[in-house]
Amino acid sequence: MTTPSKTRVLTGITTTGTPHLGNYVGAIKPAVAASKDPAVDSFLFLADYHALIKNHDPAQVHQSSVEIAATWLALGLDPAQVTFYRQSDVPDITELTWILTCWTAKGLMNRAHAYKAAVQTNEEAGEDNDFGITMGLFSYPVLMAADILMFNGGKIPVGRDQVQHVEMARDIAQRFNHHYGEHFLLPEAVVDDNVAVLQGLDGRKMSKSYNNTIPLFEGDKKLKKAINKIKTNLLEPGEPKDPDTSTVFQVWQAFATDVQTATMRKEFANGIAWGEAKKQLFELINAELTAPRERYNELMQHRDYLEKTLQQGAEKARAVSSPLLAKVKAAVGLKPIA
Ligand code: TRP
């Protein structure tokens, strides 16, 4: 096994839905920043095979890939500096998935949170345990393991909910290495506690499933409208307000410098009107998003450029995956007769 000289940081983005402000603050911004570190070799990919687990609408599956590719590039991901590709352009990953599937204990998959949650939902609804559960959902952690192991990804930045999957990838790699010799680097999940989990309009975690998101690139009018909908209490202008229980303040903090945050804290104590706080919040966010939004709109008009960029990324990715897959296949006995 050859260990890459730089730390290889790898993460996948499931291509469902349109990115919102919570995705930007919680995932895209830190990943783009990390990708600029010269000591890091970033592998970032559109997990479009993962999208098929949740979404069976071809137009949506496709559109989401286009939007997510354009979003990351608009926000400064430099395709020359990183390896940015679409999972489905690297068939080595799905080939490896099968080989790993044959080394994955069914019992391990039974313990996966996403699968267990689906079973529990069925139980509560009085349905058969397996109702609506595809093999895609059940064996999704194997595909994720192949995503990681195919590139010897060492550090895997993920949200808390994904740590278990990275541990499963480690487990699968260990079993394989034990039987066939060292082929795979054992990956480690990296959870960044400093990354803000942005609150949504209703104060819960911003998430498409709660329908409480603030759009990222839908234009300044929609941005303003969404910010005006952030839930507040009924305190009047002039009445002191508590920043630490306020979504307006929490979102402010995610975009502001320390000095701007301290200033806003004082404004809250001085009784800033909700309307004024929201106006300032809109201006702060809009200032940061205006240039990327223009790039995004431009990229969405240049689909040939997006496609070419992803193809070039896939070529870079395949240069890494195909020699390793060839070795793995030979190790398990899949090789030419002579
Ligand atoms: N399952 C991850 C998520 O839903 C996305 C993903 C797919 C991923 N493959 C990966 C993340 C490999 C890290 C590494 O967020």
Side-chain angles (χ1 to χ4, degrees):
M1 184 177 67
T2 45
T3 312
S5 53
K6 293 183 179 188
T7 306
R8 187 165 287 162
V9 176
L10 177 145
T11 202
I13 311 128
T14 303
T15 52
T16 42
T18 301
H20 53 69
L21 217 59
N23 302 132
Y24 170 58
V25 168
I28 308 174
K29 202 173 171 179
V32 170
S35 76
K36 304 213 182 284
D37 179 345
V40 165
D41 181 17
S42 271
F43 274 59
L44 279 158
F45 66 96
L46 306 173
D48 53 351
Y49 273 125
H50 285 268
L52 298 185
I53 297 166
K54 298 179 210 164
N55 196 328
H56 294 165
D57 178 326
Q60 280 178 15
V61 167
H62 182 253
Q63 179 65 10
S64 175
S65 268
V66 180
E67 288 176 357
I68 293 177
T71 299
W72 282 72
L73 295 171
L75 289 167
L77 190 72
D78 178 358
Q81 222 178 21
V82 305
T83 305
F84 182 52
Y85 54 102
R86 192 165 40 194
Q87 186 185 34
S88 62
D89 287 334
V90 187
D92 297 340
I93 299 168
T94 37
E95 282 194 49
L96 180 63
T97 302
W98 181 254
I99 296 173
L100 298 179
T101 299
C102 296
W103 274 95
T104 304
K106 176 173 176 285
L108 185 71
M109 296 298 97
N110 287 342
R111 292 197 287 279
H113 298 316
Y115 168 67
K116 275 171 56 182
V119 171
Q120 198 187 337
T121 306
N122 281 338
E123 274 171 3
E124 283 164 12
E127 294 282 1
D128 185 86
N129 277 0
D130 290 332
F131 178 75
I133 298 177
T134 64
M135 287 305 293
L137 175 69
F138 183 66
S139 42
Y140 150 155
V142 192
L143 177 58
M144 185 158 155
D147 288 334
I148 296 170
L149 303 180
M150 191 73 273
F151 299 97
N152 275 327
K155 304 267 182 224
I156 316 299
V158 283
R160 283 211 176 279
D161 60 318
Q162 296 291 322
V163 172
Q164 187 197 33
H165 296 147
V166 180
E167 281 165 0
M168 288 174 162
R170 220 182 143 84
D171 220 77
I172 296 167
Q174 254 163 341
R175 279 183 171 229
F176 188 96
N177 285 351
H178 185 72
H179 191 80
Y180 296 110
E182 295 293 310
H183 288 81
F184 299 122
L185 187 72
L186 303 184
E188 268 171 55
V190 184
V191 179
D192 187 346
D193 287 319
N194 296 319
V195 166
V197 175
L198 208 64
Q199 288 174 15
L201 300 177
D202 56 359
R204 291 187 292 175
K205 176 188 167 178
M206 191 179 291
S207 160
K208 196 180 83 157
S209 35
Y210 294 149
N211 200 15
N212 65 356
T213 61
I214 298 177
L216 184 55
F217 288 145
E218 285 176 21
D220 48 359
K221 287 194 189 65
K222 285 202 180 158
L223 178 62
K224 187 175 233 161
K225 218 171 140 189
I227 289 171
N228 282 332
K229 276 197 220 151
I230 296 176
K231 207 168 123 191
T232 57
N233 56 28
L234 296 172
L235 292 172
E236 298 286 338
E239 289 186 86
K241 299 175 175 67
D242 177 13
D244 297 315
T245 55
S246 161
T247 300
V248 176
F249 186 79
Q250 199 257 355
V251 178
W252 174 270
Q253 218 170 0
F255 284 86
T257 61
D258 289 351
V259 174
Q260 287 171 319
T261 299
T263 308
M264 187 53 87
R265 196 172 266 289
K266 261 184 231 140
E267 298 260 22
F268 267 63
N270 293 339
I272 187 171
W274 285 121
E276 176 59 24
K278 287 178 171 180
K279 182 168 161 276
Q280 290 189 26
L281 178 61
F282 164 73
E283 281 160 9
L284 181 73
I285 298 178
N286 200 41
E288 184 167 327
L289 292 185
T290 299
R293 184 194 296 134
E294 278 166 17
R295 281 198 296 275
Y296 176 81
N297 290 334
E298 179 85 23
L299 285 164
M300 290 300 282
Q301 298 303 314
H302 289 92
R303 296 185 173 225
D304 47 342
Y305 170 79
L306 289 176
E307 181 58 29
K308 198 176 98 211
T309 304
L310 290 174
Q311 289 300 335
Q312 285 168 345
E315 218 171 290
K316 268 160 82 179
R318 288 192 300 257
V320 176
S321 60
S322 57
L324 179 55
L325 181 66
K327 268 192 231 155
V328 166
K329 284 174 76 172
V332 301
L334 305 178
K335 56 185 178 184
I337 293 171

